[in-house]
Amino acid sequence: LDSFLHLHAVIPADALPPANHELADACLDSPHRAFDAPGAGPNGTDALNIHYLHVRDWSDGVVDSPLNVVNVSIPTALDPSASTDRNMHVLHAYGAANESFSLYESELPADGSAKYASSSSYQELKAQRKAYLYDSLRAIFGPDIEQRVAHEWVGTPLTQRRFVNRFRGAYAAGRDVTRVNMFDASKAPGADTSLQNLFACGDCVSPGVGVPAAVASGIAAANRVSGVGKHLSLLNELSEMGYSV
């Protein structure tokens, strides 16, 4: 199971096409409208979208090939308050599960410490790998996008290993958790485990990787403890007490 390569960037709002906030507001009520939005790309359209996906080579295995597919997310295109400075956009570009940990293993000291973080060889490797992400950004936003970036942070598989405590910087179980229960193979995929009254949630539980999926697994685990009817009853009680639910 491969890891991720991340680029987090802060870009002045006037260095990107204008966001269509009227459409963004409509998308909050009708999410499917996001797919009707014009994009900011080489075709000359001028409205900034929240998400982009760039495929470097359609003949090259697409998703599984190293950094062949790059995802781009600009949350401030939908909600300007996602940035503490309304004059700045925040951008996240990443290769999802298509960056090999093996590229970075030689940087790890024998004592398992984080001394690699300041080494020149690691910094050079980061620069080499982030260039692939900028290639995709250039294809979407134009050749000078890197010069428009005010601040950037690069996260490698070693970053995931160190700060998120993920084995080889990877996420999830390396299995299709929609088909296999990693905590008890005799049970259907979901929150149940082999221990009574112990329920699991997270990216190793169906429906799998990603914040929405992990949240859904948490909801499923909560429903195993207390049914939907009980949840609705509690929400009604909170509403009657004056809370917004």
Side-chain angles (χ1 to χ4, degrees), residues 158-173:
L158 295 187
T159 310
Q160 332 298 328
R161 177 183 180 273
R162 178 183 179 187
F163 292 102
V164 197
N165 196 29
R166 307 306 304 222
F167 175 71
R168 296 180 66 82
Y171 292 82

Side-chain angles (χ1 to χ4, degrees), residues 18-20 23 34 36-40 47-52 73-75 77-78 141:
N20 187 340
L23 176 64
D36 299 327
L48 188 67
N49 281 339
I50 183 174
H51 292 302
Y52 298 86
S73 176
I74 308 173
L78 186 64
F141 298 110

Side-chain angles (χ1 to χ4, degrees), residues 76-91:
T76 42
L78 186 64
D79 179 6
S81 68
S83 171
T84 56
D85 185 341
R86 295 299 183 97
N87 296 313
M88 294 288 185
H89 277 299
V90 292
L91 179 149

Side-chain angles (χ1 to χ4, degrees), residues 22-141:
E22 181 179 347
L23 176 64
D25 291 339
C27 290
L28 294 176
D29 297 320
S30 303
H32 66 276
R33 289 197 60 188
F35 294 98
D36 299 327
N43 59 0
T45 53
D46 60 1
L48 188 67
N49 281 339
I50 183 174
H51 292 302
Y52 298 86
L53 186 144
H54 179 243
V55 180
R56 296 168 59 84
D57 184 352
W58 283 98
S59 67
D60 190 22
V62 189
V63 175
D64 294 332
S65 297
L67 296 181
N68 194 42
V69 176
V70 171
N71 299 270
V72 180
S73 176
I74 308 173
T76 42
L78 186 64
D79 179 6
S81 68
S83 171
T84 56
D85 185 341
R86 295 299 183 97
N87 296 313
M88 294 288 185
H89 277 299
V90 292
L91 179 149
H92 178 207
Y94 61 98
N98 57 13
E99 179 74 338
S100 175
F101 186 81
S102 62
L103 292 171
Y104 300 83
E105 281 188 284
S106 62
E107 300 294 330
L108 286 173
D111 61 5
S113 69
K115 296 175 183 176
Y116 64 84
S118 58
S119 73
S120 59
S121 60
Y122 178 59
Q123 295 304 320
E124 289 172 7
L125 179 58
K126 284 174 67 174
Q128 292 170 9
R129 301 307 294 172
K130 81 170 183 180
Y132 286 95
L133 300 182
Y134 271 114
D135 283 346
S136 291
L137 292 179
R138 280 189 280 272
I140 299 169
F141 298 110

